[in-house]
Amino acid sequence: MWNQIATQIAQTTGKPFEITDRRSVSGGCINQGYSITDGEQTYFVKTNEASQIEMFEAEALGLKQMHQTQTIRVPQPICCGVRDRASFIAMEWLEFGRGDSQSWEAMGRNLAALHKTVGSDRFGWDRNNTIGSTPQINTWTSDWSEFFAEHRIGYQLRLAKRRGGSFPDISKVVAAVRDILADWQPQPSLVHGDLWSGNAACTTDGEPVILDPATYWGDRETDIAMTELFGGFPAAFYRGYNQAWQLDGGYQERKTPYNLYHILNHFNLFGGGYGSQASRAIDSLLR
């Protein structure tokens, strides 16, 4: 498999490449990650079962779209495919460091620039992708409240019910989310879609990077809300973002349904205490 991957990388880049060293690195909760090198060129490769190739194809497309905006650094995808019953994606290797307050301010400013990118008058994407390994439905929709209530919360609740989740009637929760967002029609922004602290980093030179996207055109606030969900980003990030594009009034109310989507997804992926966390969020929506 690895010789075949090396050959595909060489064919794509137009540069000879033969692997002289391969080591396991973090690939996230879903995939296996590897660093491969020929001593001069190094690439990051994620692998999974062959059936997951569409996940990698969508990730490559999302990275390319974000890279084309020239607003915020993302790992550039090289190629993806299926070899020896395994799917893979290869991308540029980035050396990460700690980053300082200036790096995180720049992260906020650059993310705001990404969100300001004009490219769609509707919400969704050209294809479905994944959030973790869960399918993410991106059917084009002109109304934001309809899109988020049905394709985000409704879909996750239906999955949760099949997985034994004990939550209130799906139609009631979907209606509550639709009501909260009913008078809110944001500009469609190209969003990362899965922006927690594990998917944001800084290079050793201090340049901010976002990775592992679940891209679509949506409300920019969904990205900001998720940065607050699992530990939060440094204060400098929010300072930089708001200096570039101040959040609108009502964000604090919208943040609850936006983060409910990710909590439900974590329940569907991992179970455990995410079920009670989702229940508390749903209770606050239904009050």
Side-chain angles (χ1 to χ4, degrees):
M1 176 180 79
W2 290 104
N3 287 337
Q4 292 174 321
I5 290 174
T7 298
Q8 188 165 339
I9 290 173
Q11 291 172 343
T12 304
T13 63
K15 299 177 181 179
F17 182 72
E18 294 184 5
I19 300 172
T20 58
D21 183 61
R22 182 182 82 244
R23 58 188 176 91
S24 178
V25 296
S26 174
C29 301
I30 307 300
N31 307 296
Q32 294 77 49
Y34 300 90
S35 163
I36 60 173
T37 185
D38 64 358
E40 295 183 2
Q41 306 166 92
T42 303
Y43 299 99
F44 176 55
V45 176
K46 292 193 293 188
T47 65
N48 208 308
E49 297 177 356
S51 60
Q52 298 301 312
I53 182 56
E54 290 186 359
M55 174 179 69
F56 288 146
E57 291 173 343
E59 179 178 356
L61 179 60
L63 290 170
K64 287 178 181 177
Q65 286 191 1
M66 289 193 290
H67 174 71
Q68 288 168 355
T69 69
Q70 297 296 296
T71 56
I72 190 166
R73 182 79 179 269
V74 296
Q76 292 191 49
I78 308 299
C79 57
C80 56
V82 176
R83 296 291 181 271
D84 290 349
R85 293 175 293 184
S87 59
F88 77 94
I89 181 172
M91 62 189 75
E92 70 170 319
W93 175 265
L94 297 174
E95 292 285 351
F96 293 132
R98 292 180 59 85
D100 56 17
S101 61
Q102 290 183 330
S103 300
W104 284 98
E105 273 198 31
M107 177 85 76
R109 289 194 303 270
N110 294 354
L111 182 69
L114 172 70
H115 288 163
K116 288 180 179 179
T117 300
V118 176
S120 176
D121 59 358
R122 294 179 298 164
F123 305 97
W125 208 38
D126 290 330
R127 61 184 293 170
N128 294 336
N129 52 10
T130 56
I131 180 81
S133 60
T134 308
Q136 181 167 262
I137 308 305
N138 294 319
T139 304
W140 288 110
T141 309
S142 59
D143 182 79
W144 172 245
S145 64
E146 179 71 15
F147 177 88
F148 195 83
E150 291 294 339
H151 299 321
R152 294 294 180 261
I153 300 302
Y155 183 79
Q156 288 283 351
L157 282 170
R158 287 188 286 273
L159 287 181
K161 184 176 181 179
R162 292 201 291 269
R163 285 164 171 72
S166 179
F167 300 114
D169 181 81
I170 293 173
S171 62
K172 290 182 180 179
V173 182
V174 169
V177 171
R178 190 182 288 111
D179 286 346
I180 289 173
L181 302 178
D183 297 324
W184 179 240
Q185 189 70 352
Q187 167 191 314
S189 294
L190 188 63
V191 298
H192 178 281
D194 193 13
L195 195 56
W196 67 291
S197 59
N199 288 341
C202 299
T203 67
T204 51
D205 294 330
E207 183 178 12
V209 180
I210 55 176
L211 54 150
D212 290 345
T215 314
Y216 65 100
W217 291 90
D219 182 2
R220 66 188 179 114
E221 292 180 352
T222 59
D223 273 349
I224 303 303
M226 194 181 188
T227 68
E228 299 187 57
L229 181 57
F230 299 121
F233 280 27
F237 165 81
Y238 302 102
R239 184 166 60 247
Y241 189 93
N242 280 291
Q243 286 173 353
W245 193 3
Q246 184 74 34
L247 289 174
D248 294 284
Y251 163 70
Q252 291 299 325
E253 182 182 18
R254 293 187 289 270
K255 181 171 68 174
T256 298
Y258 289 167
N259 280 342
L260 173 60
Y261 173 60
H262 297 292
I263 297 168
L264 285 170
N265 186 51
H266 275 66
F267 170 77
N268 286 323
L269 289 172
F270 309 116
Y274 292 112
S276 58
Q277 189 177 1
S279 293
R280 290 193 297 271
I282 290 171
D283 288 344
S284 70
L285 291 177
L286 296 179
R287 288 192 189 116

PDB file of all heavy atoms in Angstrom, residues 209-237:
ATOM      1  N   VAL A 209      -3.349  27.880  11.773  1.00  0.00           N
ATOM      2  CA  VAL A 209      -3.780  26.844  10.832  1.00  0.00           C
ATOM      3  C   VAL A 209      -5.075  26.227  11.347  1.00  0.00           C
ATOM      4  O   VAL A 209      -5.226  26.000  12.552  1.00  0.00           O
ATOM      5  CB  VAL A 209      -2.713  25.730  10.700  1.00  0.00           C
ATOM      6  CG1 VAL A 209      -3.164  24.665   9.715  1.00  0.00           C
ATOM      7  CG2 VAL A 209      -1.363  26.301  10.294  1.00  0.00           C
ATOM      8  N   ILE A 210      -6.007  25.943  10.449  1.00  0.00           N
ATOM      9  CA  ILE A 210      -7.165  25.120  10.802  1.00  0.00           C
ATOM     10  C   ILE A 210      -7.145  23.875   9.925  1.00  0.00           C
ATOM     11  O   ILE A 210      -6.696  23.913   8.780  1.00  0.00           O
ATOM     12  CB  ILE A 210      -8.501  25.882  10.674  1.00  0.00           C
ATOM     13  CG1 ILE A 210      -8.677  26.481   9.272  1.00  0.00           C
ATOM     14  CG2 ILE A 210      -8.588  26.965  11.734  1.00  0.00           C
ATOM     15  CD1 ILE A 210     -10.039  27.163   9.076  1.00  0.00           C
ATOM     16  N   LEU A 211      -7.623  22.755  10.459  1.00  0.00           N
ATOM     17  CA  LEU A 211      -7.512  21.466   9.773  1.00  0.00           C
ATOM     18  C   LEU A 211      -8.720  20.596  10.062  1.00  0.00           C
ATOM     19  O   LEU A 211      -9.580  20.959  10.864  1.00  0.00           O
ATOM     20  CB  LEU A 211      -6.227  20.754  10.182  1.00  0.00           C
ATOM     21  CG  LEU A 211      -5.970  20.552  11.674  1.00  0.00           C
ATOM     22  CD1 LEU A 211      -5.163  19.289  11.917  1.00  0.00           C
ATOM     23  CD2 LEU A 211      -5.182  21.751  12.252  1.00  0.00           C
ATOM     24  N   ASP A 212      -8.791  19.450   9.389  1.00  0.00           N
ATOM     25  CA  ASP A 212      -9.887  18.478   9.552  1.00  0.00           C
ATOM     26  C   ASP A 212     -11.263  19.131   9.440  1.00  0.00           C
ATOM     27  O   ASP A 212     -12.087  19.028  10.348  1.00  0.00           O
ATOM     28  CB  ASP A 212      -9.764  17.761  10.895  1.00  0.00           C
ATOM     29  CG  ASP A 212      -8.586  16.819  10.947  1.00  0.00           C
ATOM     30  OD1 ASP A 212      -8.037  16.509   9.878  1.00  0.00           O
ATOM     31  OD2 ASP A 212      -8.197  16.398  12.056  1.00  0.00           O
ATOM     32  N   PRO A 213     -11.575  19.789   8.335  1.00  0.00           N
ATOM     33  CA  PRO A 213     -12.843  20.503   8.226  1.00  0.00           C
ATOM     34  C   PRO A 213     -14.036  19.601   7.936  1.00  0.00           C
ATOM     35  O   PRO A 213     -13.895  18.493   7.436  1.00  0.00           O
ATOM     36  CB  PRO A 213     -12.598  21.446   7.040  1.00  0.00           C
ATOM     37  CG  PRO A 213     -11.669  20.657   6.158  1.00  0.00           C
ATOM     38  CD  PRO A 213     -10.749  19.919   7.120  1.00  0.00           C
ATOM     39  N   ALA A 214     -15.211  20.135   8.260  1.00  0.00           N
ATOM     40  CA  ALA A 214     -16.491  19.563   7.833  1.00  0.00           C
ATOM     41  C   ALA A 214     -17.226  20.686   7.100  1.00  0.00           C
ATOM     42  O   ALA A 214     -18.296  21.131   7.502  1.00  0.00           O
ATOM     43  CB  ALA A 214     -17.285  19.058   9.022  1.00  0.00           C
ATOM     44  N   THR A 215     -16.645  21.130   6.018  1.00  0.00           N
ATOM     45  CA  THR A 215     -16.982  22.384   5.346  1.00  0.00           C
ATOM     46  C   THR A 215     -18.410  22.430   4.811  1.00  0.00           C
ATOM     47  O   THR A 215     -18.936  21.437   4.329  1.00  0.00           O
ATOM     48  CB  THR A 215     -16.013  22.590   4.165  1.00  0.00           C
ATOM     49  OG1 THR A 215     -14.688  22.319   4.597  1.00  0.00           O
ATOM     50  CG2 THR A 215     -16.092  23.991   3.617  1.00  0.00           C
ATOM     51  N   TYR A 216     -19.013  23.613   4.868  1.00  0.00           N
ATOM     52  CA  TYR A 216     -20.250  23.907   4.153  1.00  0.00           C
ATOM     53  C   TYR A 216     -20.479  25.416   4.225  1.00  0.00           C
ATOM     54  O   TYR A 216     -19.732  26.136   4.897  1.00  0.00           O
ATOM     55  CB  TYR A 216     -21.449  23.141   4.729  1.00  0.00           C
ATOM     56  CG  TYR A 216     -21.838  23.506   6.150  1.00  0.00           C
ATOM     57  CD1 TYR A 216     -22.904  24.368   6.404  1.00  0.00           C
ATOM     58  CD2 TYR A 216     -21.160  22.972   7.244  1.00  0.00           C
ATOM     59  CE1 TYR A 216     -23.278  24.694   7.713  1.00  0.00           C
ATOM     60  CE2 TYR A 216     -21.524  23.289   8.543  1.00  0.00           C
ATOM     61  CZ  TYR A 216     -22.577  24.154   8.770  1.00  0.00           C
ATOM     62  OH  TYR A 216     -22.932  24.479  10.054  1.00  0.00           O
ATOM     63  N   TRP A 217     -21.485  25.909   3.513  1.00  0.00           N
ATOM     64  CA  TRP A 217     -21.873  27.311   3.600  1.00  0.00           C
ATOM     65  C   TRP A 217     -22.970  27.423   4.656  1.00  0.00           C
ATOM     66  O   TRP A 217     -24.049  26.847   4.508  1.00  0.00           O
ATOM     67  CB  TRP A 217     -22.372  27.817   2.245  1.00  0.00           C
ATOM     68  CG  TRP A 217     -21.289  27.905   1.221  1.00  0.00           C
ATOM     69  CD1 TRP A 217     -20.891  26.928   0.351  1.00  0.00           C
ATOM     70  CD2 TRP A 217     -20.431  29.025   0.974  1.00  0.00           C
ATOM     71  NE1 TRP A 217     -19.841  27.361  -0.424  1.00  0.00           N
ATOM     72  CE2 TRP A 217     -19.538  28.660  -0.069  1.00  0.00           C
ATOM     73  CE3 TRP A 217     -20.318  30.303   1.522  1.00  0.00           C
ATOM     74  CZ2 TRP A 217     -18.569  29.519  -0.549  1.00  0.00           C
ATOM     75  CZ3 TRP A 217     -19.350  31.165   1.032  1.00  0.00           C
ATOM     76  CH2 TRP A 217     -18.486  30.781   0.007  1.00  0.00           C
ATOM     77  N   GLY A 218     -22.656  28.147   5.745  1.00  0.00           N
ATOM     78  CA  GLY A 218     -23.591  28.255   6.845  1.00  0.00           C
ATOM     79  C   GLY A 218     -23.412  29.561   7.586  1.00  0.00           C
ATOM     80  O   GLY A 218     -22.779  30.500   7.100  1.00  0.00           O
ATOM     81  N   ASP A 219     -23.968  29.635   8.773  1.00  0.00           N
ATOM     82  CA  ASP A 219     -23.827  30.808   9.631  1.00  0.00           C
ATOM     83  C   ASP A 219     -22.444  30.783  10.274  1.00  0.00           C
ATOM     84  O   ASP A 219     -22.069  29.804  10.924  1.00  0.00           O
ATOM     85  CB  ASP A 219     -24.917  30.792  10.702  1.00  0.00           C
ATOM     86  CG  ASP A 219     -24.874  32.010  11.610  1.00  0.00           C
ATOM     87  OD1 ASP A 219     -24.025  32.912  11.407  1.00  0.00           O
ATOM     88  OD2 ASP A 219     -25.704  32.065  12.553  1.00  0.00           O
ATOM     89  N   ARG A 220     -21.700  31.869  10.134  1.00  0.00           N
ATOM     90  CA  ARG A 220     -20.355  31.944  10.714  1.00  0.00           C
ATOM     91  C   ARG A 220     -20.355  31.677  12.212  1.00  0.00           C
ATOM     92  O   ARG A 220     -19.379  31.182  12.777  1.00  0.00           O
ATOM     93  CB  ARG A 220     -19.762  33.328  10.440  1.00  0.00           C
ATOM     94  CG  ARG A 220     -20.514  34.476  11.163  1.00  0.00           C
ATOM     95  CD  ARG A 220     -20.013  35.829  10.712  1.00  0.00           C
ATOM     96  NE  ARG A 220     -20.729  36.923  11.367  1.00  0.00           N
ATOM     97  CZ  ARG A 220     -20.177  37.778  12.231  1.00  0.00           C
ATOM     98  NH1 ARG A 220     -18.904  37.640  12.573  1.00  0.00           N
ATOM     99  NH2 ARG A 220     -20.884  38.758  12.752  1.00  0.00           N
ATOM    100  N   GLU A 221     -21.479  31.997  12.869  1.00  0.00           N
ATOM    101  CA  GLU A 221     -21.547  31.818  14.314  1.00  0.00           C
ATOM    102  C   GLU A 221     -21.434  30.353  14.730  1.00  0.00           C
ATOM    103  O   GLU A 221     -21.079  30.073  15.884  1.00  0.00           O
ATOM    104  CB  GLU A 221     -22.863  32.398  14.852  1.00  0.00           C
ATOM    105  CG  GLU A 221     -22.954  33.904  14.760  1.00  0.00           C
ATOM    106  CD  GLU A 221     -24.270  34.448  15.289  1.00  0.00           C
ATOM    107  OE1 GLU A 221     -25.175  33.633  15.595  1.00  0.00           O
ATOM    108  OE2 GLU A 221     -24.408  35.675  15.380  1.00  0.00           O
ATOM    109  N   THR A 222     -21.726  29.424  13.826  1.00  0.00           N
ATOM    110  CA  THR A 222     -21.589  28.015  14.192  1.00  0.00           C
ATOM    111  C   THR A 222     -20.136  27.677  14.500  1.00  0.00           C
ATOM    112  O   THR A 222     -19.853  26.885  15.399  1.00  0.00           O
ATOM    113  CB  THR A 222     -22.112  27.098  13.073  1.00  0.00           C
ATOM    114  OG1 THR A 222     -21.387  27.348  11.856  1.00  0.00           O
ATOM    115  CG2 THR A 222     -23.596  27.320  12.832  1.00  0.00           C
ATOM    116  N   ASP A 223     -19.204  28.269  13.748  1.00  0.00           N
ATOM    117  CA  ASP A 223     -17.782  28.055  14.034  1.00  0.00           C
ATOM    118  C   ASP A 223     -17.399  28.669  15.375  1.00  0.00           C
ATOM    119  O   ASP A 223     -16.704  28.040  16.184  1.00  0.00           O
ATOM    120  CB  ASP A 223     -16.907  28.670  12.934  1.00  0.00           C
ATOM    121  CG  ASP A 223     -16.664  27.725  11.765  1.00  0.00           C
ATOM    122  OD1 ASP A 223     -16.993  26.534  11.877  1.00  0.00           O
ATOM    123  OD2 ASP A 223     -16.133  28.197  10.741  1.00  0.00           O
ATOM    124  N   ILE A 224     -17.829  29.908  15.616  1.00  0.00           N
ATOM    125  CA  ILE A 224     -17.474  30.584  16.864  1.00  0.00           C
ATOM    126  C   ILE A 224     -18.067  29.832  18.051  1.00  0.00           C
ATOM    127  O   ILE A 224     -17.407  29.646  19.083  1.00  0.00           O
ATOM    128  CB  ILE A 224     -17.945  32.041  16.849  1.00  0.00           C
ATOM    129  CG1 ILE A 224     -17.346  32.789  15.651  1.00  0.00           C
ATOM    130  CG2 ILE A 224     -17.570  32.739  18.147  1.00  0.00           C
ATOM    131  CD1 ILE A 224     -15.832  32.774  15.600  1.00  0.00           C
ATOM    132  N   ALA A 225     -19.300  29.383  17.927  1.00  0.00           N
ATOM    133  CA  ALA A 225     -19.939  28.652  19.024  1.00  0.00           C
ATOM    134  C   ALA A 225     -19.143  27.410  19.384  1.00  0.00           C
ATOM    135  O   ALA A 225     -18.908  27.129  20.564  1.00  0.00           O
ATOM    136  CB  ALA A 225     -21.374  28.283  18.641  1.00  0.00           C
ATOM    137  N   MET A 226     -18.694  26.658  18.379  1.00  0.00           N
ATOM    138  CA  MET A 226     -17.974  25.427  18.697  1.00  0.00           C
ATOM    139  C   MET A 226     -16.631  25.703  19.352  1.00  0.00           C
ATOM    140  O   MET A 226     -16.164  24.894  20.154  1.00  0.00           O
ATOM    141  CB  MET A 226     -17.790  24.559  17.462  1.00  0.00           C
ATOM    142  CG  MET A 226     -17.364  23.142  17.866  1.00  0.00           C
ATOM    143  SD  MET A 226     -17.080  22.023  16.522  1.00  0.00           S
ATOM    144  CE  MET A 226     -16.853  20.503  17.466  1.00  0.00           C
ATOM    145  N   THR A 227     -16.007  26.845  19.037  1.00  0.00           N
ATOM    146  CA  THR A 227     -14.742  27.152  19.708  1.00  0.00           C
ATOM    147  C   THR A 227     -14.934  27.307  21.208  1.00  0.00           C
ATOM    148  O   THR A 227     -13.970  27.195  21.972  1.00  0.00           O
ATOM    149  CB  THR A 227     -14.098  28.445  19.158  1.00  0.00           C
ATOM    150  OG1 THR A 227     -14.895  29.588  19.505  1.00  0.00           O
ATOM    151  CG2 THR A 227     -13.899  28.381  17.656  1.00  0.00           C
ATOM    152  N   GLU A 228     -16.155  27.564  21.643  1.00  0.00           N
ATOM    153  CA  GLU A 228     -16.443  27.728  23.079  1.00  0.00           C
ATOM    154  C   GLU A 228     -16.888  26.435  23.747  1.00  0.00           C
ATOM    155  O   GLU A 228     -17.057  26.392  24.964  1.00  0.00           O
ATOM    156  CB  GLU A 228     -17.532  28.789  23.275  1.00  0.00           C
ATOM    157  CG  GLU A 228     -17.167  30.172  22.776  1.00  0.00           C
ATOM    158  CD  GLU A 228     -18.217  31.193  23.158  1.00  0.00           C
ATOM    159  OE1 GLU A 228     -18.494  31.332  24.365  1.00  0.00           O
ATOM    160  OE2 GLU A 228     -18.770  31.846  22.250  1.00  0.00           O
ATOM    161  N   LEU A 229     -17.085  25.371  22.961  1.00  0.00           N
ATOM    162  CA  LEU A 229     -17.758  24.180  23.484  1.00  0.00           C
ATOM    163  C   LEU A 229     -16.852  23.283  24.310  1.00  0.00           C
ATOM    164  O   LEU A 229     -17.212  22.871  25.411  1.00  0.00           O
ATOM    165  CB  LEU A 229     -18.370  23.383  22.331  1.00  0.00           C
ATOM    166  CG  LEU A 229     -19.141  22.118  22.684  1.00  0.00           C
ATOM    167  CD1 LEU A 229     -20.273  22.420  23.655  1.00  0.00           C
ATOM    168  CD2 LEU A 229     -19.681  21.452  21.421  1.00  0.00           C
ATOM    169  N   PHE A 230     -15.687  22.963  23.813  1.00  0.00           N
ATOM    170  CA  PHE A 230     -14.812  21.994  24.485  1.00  0.00           C
ATOM    171  C   PHE A 230     -13.546  22.689  24.981  1.00  0.00           C
ATOM    172  O   PHE A 230     -12.466  22.500  24.459  1.00  0.00           O
ATOM    173  CB  PHE A 230     -14.453  20.844  23.543  1.00  0.00           C
ATOM    174  CG  PHE A 230     -15.650  20.054  23.074  1.00  0.00           C
ATOM    175  CD1 PHE A 230     -15.945  19.953  21.722  1.00  0.00           C
ATOM    176  CD2 PHE A 230     -16.480  19.417  23.976  1.00  0.00           C
ATOM    177  CE1 PHE A 230     -17.043  19.218  21.284  1.00  0.00           C
ATOM    178  CE2 PHE A 230     -17.580  18.690  23.558  1.00  0.00           C
ATOM    179  CZ  PHE A 230     -17.867  18.591  22.208  1.00  0.00           C
ATOM    180  N   GLY A 231     -13.704  23.534  25.992  1.00  0.00           N
ATOM    181  CA  GLY A 231     -12.556  24.179  26.614  1.00  0.00           C
ATOM    182  C   GLY A 231     -12.299  25.592  26.150  1.00  0.00           C
ATOM    183  O   GLY A 231     -11.683  26.381  26.855  1.00  0.00           O
ATOM    184  N   GLY A 232     -12.748  25.955  24.953  1.00  0.00           N
ATOM    185  CA  GLY A 232     -12.585  27.315  24.475  1.00  0.00           C
ATOM    186  C   GLY A 232     -11.217  27.606  23.894  1.00  0.00           C
ATOM    187  O   GLY A 232     -10.251  26.890  24.120  1.00  0.00           O
ATOM    188  N   PHE A 233     -11.159  28.661  23.110  1.00  0.00           N
ATOM    189  CA  PHE A 233      -9.919  29.150  22.527  1.00  0.00           C
ATOM    190  C   PHE A 233      -9.364  30.269  23.410  1.00  0.00           C
ATOM    191  O   PHE A 233     -10.089  30.849  24.215  1.00  0.00           O
ATOM    192  CB  PHE A 233     -10.180  29.691  21.109  1.00  0.00           C
ATOM    193  CG  PHE A 233     -10.281  28.624  20.045  1.00  0.00           C
ATOM    194  CD1 PHE A 233     -10.699  27.331  20.332  1.00  0.00           C
ATOM    195  CD2 PHE A 233      -9.976  28.928  18.731  1.00  0.00           C
ATOM    196  CE1 PHE A 233     -10.797  26.368  19.344  1.00  0.00           C
ATOM    197  CE2 PHE A 233     -10.071  27.976  17.728  1.00  0.00           C
ATOM    198  CZ  PHE A 233     -10.485  26.690  18.035  1.00  0.00           C
ATOM    199  N   PRO A 234      -8.104  30.639  23.245  1.00  0.00           N
ATOM    200  CA  PRO A 234      -7.550  31.761  24.007  1.00  0.00           C
ATOM    201  C   PRO A 234      -8.326  33.058  23.752  1.00  0.00           C
ATOM    202  O   PRO A 234      -8.883  33.259  22.663  1.00  0.00           O
ATOM    203  CB  PRO A 234      -6.114  31.866  23.495  1.00  0.00           C
ATOM    204  CG  PRO A 234      -5.791  30.500  22.996  1.00  0.00           C
ATOM    205  CD  PRO A 234      -7.074  29.976  22.423  1.00  0.00           C
ATOM    206  N   ALA A 235      -8.333  33.942  24.744  1.00  0.00           N
ATOM    207  CA  ALA A 235      -9.075  35.202  24.627  1.00  0.00           C
ATOM    208  C   ALA A 235      -8.613  36.011  23.426  1.00  0.00           C
ATOM    209  O   ALA A 235      -9.412  36.729  22.806  1.00  0.00           O
ATOM    210  CB  ALA A 235      -8.921  36.015  25.906  1.00  0.00           C
ATOM    211  N   ALA A 236      -7.339  35.893  23.067  1.00  0.00           N
ATOM    212  CA  ALA A 236      -6.811  36.651  21.931  1.00  0.00           C
ATOM    213  C   ALA A 236      -7.530  36.287  20.640  1.00  0.00           C
ATOM    214  O   ALA A 236      -7.681  37.135  19.744  1.00  0.00           O
ATOM    215  CB  ALA A 236      -5.307  36.413  21.789  1.00  0.00           C
ATOM    216  N   PHE A 237      -7.956  35.040  20.516  1.00  0.00           N
ATOM    217  CA  PHE A 237      -8.681  34.614  19.312  1.00  0.00           C
ATOM    218  C   PHE A 237      -9.960  35.413  19.151  1.00  0.00           C
ATOM    219  O   PHE A 237     -10.246  35.939  18.063  1.00  0.00           O
ATOM    220  CB  PHE A 237      -8.992  33.123  19.384  1.00  0.00           C
ATOM    221  CG  PHE A 237     -10.021  32.662  18.384  1.00  0.00           C
ATOM    222  CD1 PHE A 237      -9.665  32.398  17.073  1.00  0.00           C
ATOM    223  CD2 PHE A 237     -11.352  32.511  18.752  1.00  0.00           C
ATOM    224  CE1 PHE A 237     -10.613  31.983  16.142  1.00  0.00           C
ATOM    225  CE2 PHE A 237     -12.304  32.093  17.830  1.00  0.00           C
ATOM    226  CZ  PHE A 237     -11.931  31.832  16.528  1.00  0.00           C
TER     227      PHE A 237
END
